[in-house]
Structures are given as structure tokens and as C-alpha cells.
């Protein structure tokens, strides 16, 4: 499956786009372009055979980890695979509290294109792009996974290798999650 990913520069192409999640569809119609214009995020359209099948947006982020989070992460409890830290970087990493990240701000697959694995393909494409970009350092992907009574994206993101940063809060309709960009040995 050959997907084309391009920067979204005209929202009129989204008039027929529906992911089937009312909160997301409403935001796409009413708030996405405003968020882009105010530099909150940058959106991208994903096309298959010239049809928009998905939409996602990215923004810069920072992940805060306390000592318990780091211990869990290093033991492999809070991530699918503990990150490898080179001996010369381990102390530097563990002594920091904030880590550069790229947030998947929005991710929606058109309901007519669902169940084809497009969401996972997009997450992997974002991960590859984050690993290869040279603008700034980046060690994690983050997401505020939608988690409401009618819909939860938490299971999807767990299948994509994300782990919760927080405990679920019944007063919040998202769950903050993260994934390390470099679970394997990185050489410089």
C-alpha cells in the first residue's frame, strides 16, 4: 500500500472526511485550521489513490519523567522495550527531568478506510520522520489519547508501543502516553 503524505494547506479538501468519532469530526471541521494558523500544530493529509484516507497533526512537546518513571522505564515496566542507553549517555539521560518529544496532536482515519492498519502505518511514518529530522533533538513520541465513554484510543496506542505517562483521570477525556524513539542501541 503506497500512501502519500503531504502538508495540509487547504481544509476545503476535508469536507467529506469523517472519522466517525463525533469529537474529532467536530474539531476537524471547526478547530483544526485555527490551530494551524496559530502555530499550535502542523497538519498532514494521507492519501491513497488521490483520496484522503487519514489526517494527522504534529507539535513539539516535552516529556517530564520523575525518578520513579525513569526506574520503571529502565526496567521495561512502562515501555514495550526498555531503551538502550550507551554508557557515556546513561548518566546524562538519568539526570535530566525534561526530554524533547514530538507529539501526535491529532490522528484520524476516515471511517470508510478503517480496519486497514493505516493508523499504525502513520505512527511508524511519524516515528521514522522524527528519528531522521535534524532540526532539533527528539527522544520520545507523545500523544494525548482520546479516552471517553464512547471511544478510547488507548488500546490502539498501546499496540503501537506507547505507554501511559499518567494514571487515567475520570475528569479528563484523554490519557497522556509516550513511546521512546530509540529503543535499540544508538551509535554516534
Amino acid at each position: 500500500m503506497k500512501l502519500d503524505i503531504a502538508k495540509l494547506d487547504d481544509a476545503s479538501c476535508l469536507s467529506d472526511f469523517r472519522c466517525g468519532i463525533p469529537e474529532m469530526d467536530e474539531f476537524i471541521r471547526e478547530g483544526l485550521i485555527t490551530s494551524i494558523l496559530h502555530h499550535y500544530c502542523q497538519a498532514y493529509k494521507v492519501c491513497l489513490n488521490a483520496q484522503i484516507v487519514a489526517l494527522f497533526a504534529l507539535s513539539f512537546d516535552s516529556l517530564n519523567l520523575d525518578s520513579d518513571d525513569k526506574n520503571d522505564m529502565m526496567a521495561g515496566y512502562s515501555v514495550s522495550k526498555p531503551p538502550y542507553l550507551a554508557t557515556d549517555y546513561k548518566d546524562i539521560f538519568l539526570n535530566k527531568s525534561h526530554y524533547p518529544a514530538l507529539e501526535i496532536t491529532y490522528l484520524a482515519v476516515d471511517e470508510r478506510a478503517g480496519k486497514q492498519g493505516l493508523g499504525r502505518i502513520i505512527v511508524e511514518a511519524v516515528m521514522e520522520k522524527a528519528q531522521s529530522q535534524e532540526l532539533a533533538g527528539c527522544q520520545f513520541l507523545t500523544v494525548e489519547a482520546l479516552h471517553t465513554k464512547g471511544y478510547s484510543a488507548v488500546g490502539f496506542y498501546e499496540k503501537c508501543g506507547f505507554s501511559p505517562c499518567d494514571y487515567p483521570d475520570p475528569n479528563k477525556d484523554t490519557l497522556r502516553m509516550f513511546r521512546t524513539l530509540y529503543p535499540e542501541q544508538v551509535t554516534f
Side-chain angles (χ1 to χ4, degrees):
M1 178 182 324
K2 173 69 172 109
L3 298 175
D4 294 313
I5 298 175
K7 189 174 167 182
L8 180 69
D9 50 11
D10 179 14
S12 67
C13 65
L14 299 175
S15 61
D16 293 334
F17 185 89
R18 301 283 180 273
C19 69
I21 303 162
E23 300 94 341
M24 291 287 289
D25 285 334
E26 181 180 337
F27 176 78
I28 289 166
R29 284 189 307 279
E30 299 176 12
L32 181 60
I33 293 302
T34 302
S35 294
I36 294 167
L37 291 173
H38 289 277
H39 307 286
Y40 176 73
C41 63
Q42 180 56 60
Y44 300 86
K45 59 185 176 181
V46 180
C47 297
L48 178 63
N49 300 325
Q51 295 284 359
I52 297 177
V53 293
L55 174 71
F56 67 95
L58 303 173
S59 61
F60 290 113
D61 196 9
S62 175
L63 182 64
N64 302 329
L65 298 175
D66 64 21
S67 59
D68 288 340
D69 293 331
K70 291 179 211 173
N71 289 337
D72 287 349
M73 191 172 103
M74 298 309 295
Y77 297 129
S78 65
V79 290
S80 58
K81 185 185 286 188
Y84 171 84
L85 294 175
T87 306
D88 61 340
Y89 182 61
K90 187 173 185 175
D91 288 339
I92 295 170
F93 178 86
L94 294 174
N95 284 320
K96 294 194 174 294
S97 59
H98 304 331
Y99 301 89
L102 182 65
E103 180 180 21
I104 300 173
T105 314
Y106 307 103
L107 171 58
V109 174
D110 190 288
E111 61 189 349
R112 296 166 290 197
K115 307 296 183 209
Q116 295 182 43
L118 295 173
R120 182 178 286 251
I121 291 168
I122 292 167
V123 168
E124 291 304 317
V126 169
M127 185 163 168
E128 288 174 17
K129 199 64 156 166
Q131 289 170 330
S132 66
Q133 64 85 29
E134 297 179 357
L135 179 63
C138 191
Q139 293 185 306
F140 294 95
L141 286 182
T142 59
V143 66
E144 288 282 341
L146 188 61
H147 185 64
T148 64
K149 290 179 184 175
Y151 175 82
S152 180
V154 172
F156 163 75
Y157 284 106
E158 286 176 336
K159 289 177 186 172
C160 290
F162 286 77
S163 299
C165 295
D166 305 315
Y167 292 105
D169 180 347
N171 299 316
K172 190 176 168 194
D173 62 357
T174 61
L175 178 64
R176 185 162 167 80
M177 301 180 79
F178 75 100
R179 174 182 174 176
T180 182
L181 284 175
Y182 303 101
E184 305 297 332
Q185 179 175 356
V186 178
T187 56
F188 297 92

